[in-house]
């Protein structure tokens, strides 16, 4: 079966699905997937801006496997063509091989080896912080109660991960000569610096918080811009920052905290530019209840349970919509988004065998 997986992966890697620029249409890769699932009902949807999804259903399943087919861009550090799969003694190398076309190849191989109920959702917008494919799927009458989302987890079921929120924060100041006594308070950059210092202190104060093996609040100031020159008071400043909360933390509550760390009137604009809920979604009690349900699902399917992870996945969107969701896929996240990205052949084999077993209704390992 590994040979079949590698044949699929060779084809899937050959399709350019870099995001950005996400120049992806409904043909090409999706035509190939369609031909590999002849006994499935296929529905391809163009959600605009290169976001395309393919839902394939056989029978009447209650569980859906999801895998995103978009990749990050390649870099000059690649040592060979990123869209040509290279197979060595123990690994498959290619853009998206680890994150996460290897799982898609495994699903296609497992589908051809079984005849039981199955459902696959392929999407192309995960790498853009623009989950319109998943949002559209969850907004429809889909009938699924469980979801297995493919990301590199070394073939372990992940039940919990952090949420994510990105913010554009703009400060207002009053232009003037830097020699003025009011420069300390009038400078928008000074306000931004004060905010940053207080934000870092607040994040440090959350280091004792815990959930499901995760600890503390992750936070990063990614970009600061503002001012004109050293002898002019900065009339404006802009900060872009992000944070990754535990499932037990309120994203809205954290926004309220971050938005009140400077003097009243200093902030001109506070805009959340992207939000992804934690896995499992919900308040403290609800999140723990959903984590236990996900643990029961992993146990029932005979999947080894791994540790919670710090990276975000679209599994949280399924969880927020009420599905029992776990993250499970081949490969190591350390290889994702790297030059000469690779996935081990053993991981591909293990993943495909486990999916084949699940589709065939055999839950014992």
């Amino acid at each position: 079966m590994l040979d079949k997986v590698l044949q699929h992966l060779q084809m899937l890697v050959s399709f350019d699905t870099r995001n950005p620029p996400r120049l992806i249409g409904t043909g090409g890769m999706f035509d190939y997937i369609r031909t590999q699932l002849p006994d499935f009902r296929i529905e391809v949807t163009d959600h605009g801006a290169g976001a395309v999804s393919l839902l394939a259903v056989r029978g009447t399943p209650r569980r859906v496997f999801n895998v995103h087919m978009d990749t990050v861009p390649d870099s000059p550090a690649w040592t060979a063509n990123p869209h040509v799969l290279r197979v060595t003694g123990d690994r498959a190398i290619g853009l998206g091989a680890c994150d996460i076309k290897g799982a898609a190849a495994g699903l296609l191989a497992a589908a051809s080896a079984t005849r039981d109920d199955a459902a696959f959702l392929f999407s192309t917008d995960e790498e853009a912080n623009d989950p319109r494919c998943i949002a559209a799927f969850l907004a429809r009458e889909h009938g699924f109660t469980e979801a297995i989302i493919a990301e590199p987890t070394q073939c372990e079921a992940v039940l919990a991960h952090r949420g994510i929120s990105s913010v554009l924060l703009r400060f207002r100041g009053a232009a003037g000569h830097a020699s003025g006594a009011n420069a300390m308070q009038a400078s928008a950059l000074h306000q931004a610096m004060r905010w940053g210092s207080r934000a870092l202190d607040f994040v440090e104060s959350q280091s004792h918080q815990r959930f499901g093996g995760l600890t503390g609040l992750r936070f990063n100031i990614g970009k600061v811009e503002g001012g004109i020159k050293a002898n002019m008071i900065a009339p404006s400043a802009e900060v872009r920052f992000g944070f990754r909360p535990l499932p037990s933390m309120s994203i809205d509550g954290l926004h309220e905290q971050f938005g009140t760390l400077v003097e009243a009137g200093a902030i001109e604009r506070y805009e959340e530019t992207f939000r992804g809920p934690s896995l499992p979604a919900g308040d403290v009690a609800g999140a723990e209840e959903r984590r236990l349900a996900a643990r029961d699902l992993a146990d029932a399917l005979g999947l080894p349970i791994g540790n919670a992870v710090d990276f975000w996945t679209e599994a949280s969107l399924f969880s927020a919509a009420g599905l029992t969701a776990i993250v499970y896929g081949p490969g190591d996240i350390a290889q994702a988004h790297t030059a000469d990205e690779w996935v081990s052949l053993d991981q591909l084999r293990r993943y495909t065998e486990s999916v084949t077993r699940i589709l065939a209704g055999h839950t014992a390992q």
Side-chain angles (χ1 to χ4, degrees), residues 139-159:
R140 60 183 285 174
E141 291 291 333
H142 54 73
F144 297 102
T145 59
E146 300 171 353
I148 300 178
I149 287 72
E151 291 289 356
T153 66
Q154 301 186 77
C155 291
E156 294 181 332
V158 168
L159 313 182

Side-chain angles (χ1 to χ4, degrees), residues 14-359:
S14 72
F15 294 105
D16 184 354
T17 56
R18 290 173 295 178
N19 186 359
R22 198 167 69 183
L23 301 176
I24 304 170
T26 57
M29 177 182 65
F30 290 105
D31 285 341
Y32 175 78
I33 293 174
R34 184 194 298 270
T35 63
Q36 303 308 309
L37 301 171
D39 54 344
F40 282 70
R41 303 185 301 277
I42 304 292
E43 179 181 343
V44 178
T45 305
D46 187 345
H47 305 277
V52 180
S53 63
L54 183 151
L55 176 63
V57 180
R58 182 173 63 191
T60 56
R62 304 293 290 175
R63 180 186 308 122
V64 61
F65 288 82
N66 167 242
V67 54
H68 73 85
M69 305 301 292
D70 54 328
T71 73
V72 295
D74 58 318
S75 75
W78 277 79
T79 60
N81 188 334
H83 290 113
V84 175
L85 188 72
R86 290 174 283 156
V87 179
T88 67
D90 63 351
R91 63 184 61 175
I93 306 165
L95 185 59
C98 177
D99 187 15
I100 178 84
K101 291 182 177 181
L107 291 178
L108 295 178
S112 64
T114 58
R115 293 292 179 267
D116 303 86
D117 292 356
F120 306 141
L121 176 65
F122 302 93
S123 56
T124 65
D125 57 7
E126 194 270 349
E127 298 291 0
N129 291 339
D130 178 23
R132 60 178 73 186
C133 291
I134 304 303
F137 170 77
L138 294 172
R140 60 183 285 174
E141 291 291 333
H142 54 73
F144 297 102
T145 59
E146 300 171 353
I148 300 178
I149 287 72
E151 291 289 356
T153 66
Q154 301 186 77
C155 291
E156 294 181 332
V158 168
L159 313 182
H161 65 61
R162 296 178 183 275
I164 184 172
S165 180
S166 301
V167 179
L168 166 62
L169 179 57
R170 187 168 294 157
F171 295 86
R172 65 166 58 91
H177 197 284
S179 64
N182 67 329
M184 288 294 290
Q185 298 301 323
S187 170
L189 272 174
H190 292 177
Q191 295 290 359
M193 298 295 180
R194 292 189 185 95
W195 176 88
S197 178
R198 293 166 186 168
L200 291 170
D201 288 343
F202 168 71
V203 172
E204 288 285 348
S205 74
Q206 302 301 301
S207 61
H208 65 286
Q209 301 286 352
R210 287 172 169 76
F211 183 94
L214 300 173
T215 303
L217 174 64
R218 295 296 173 87
F219 173 81
N220 182 60
I221 298 175
K223 188 175 184 180
V224 179
E225 290 185 311
I228 302 169
K229 55 186 297 190
N231 63 351
M232 297 178 65
I233 297 173
S236 63
E238 187 173 286
V239 174
R240 291 186 178 269
F241 74 95
F243 59 88
R244 296 172 183 257
L246 301 174
S248 55
M249 293 176 170
S250 166
I251 292 182
D252 288 331
L254 289 169
H255 281 307
E256 183 177 357
Q257 183 71 37
F258 284 124
T260 55
L261 292 177
V262 292
E263 292 74 13
I267 293 178
E268 180 178 80
R269 180 181 179 187
Y270 186 107
E271 177 187 353
E272 183 181 45
T273 56
F274 177 76
R275 175 184 296 204
S278 303
L279 177 73
D283 57 20
V284 177
E288 179 60 15
E289 181 179 349
R290 290 180 177 180
R291 187 185 72 84
L292 294 176
R295 184 194 65 185
D296 291 343
L297 174 60
D299 286 341
L301 298 178
L303 301 178
I305 296 176
N307 296 325
V309 296
D310 289 311
F311 60 87
W312 183 80
T313 80
E314 292 182 320
S316 61
L317 304 178
F318 290 87
S319 178
L323 284 75
T324 300
I326 62 175
V327 189
Y328 178 71
D332 188 333
I333 194 65
Q335 305 305 325
H337 300 187
T338 63
D340 293 335
E341 172 187 347
W342 59 271
V343 60
S344 78
L345 302 185
D346 180 63
Q347 289 276 305
L348 290 175
R349 177 188 57 79
R350 289 171 56 191
Y351 176 78
T352 306
E353 288 177 352
S354 65
V355 172
T356 302
R357 173 176 53 77
I358 291 169
L359 293 182

Side-chain angles (χ1 to χ4, degrees), residues 1-7 344-346 348-349 352:
M1 184 173 285
L2 180 59
D3 288 342
K4 189 65 174 177
V5 173
L6 292 175
Q7 290 173 21
S344 78
L345 302 185
D346 180 63
L348 290 175
R349 177 188 57 79
T352 306

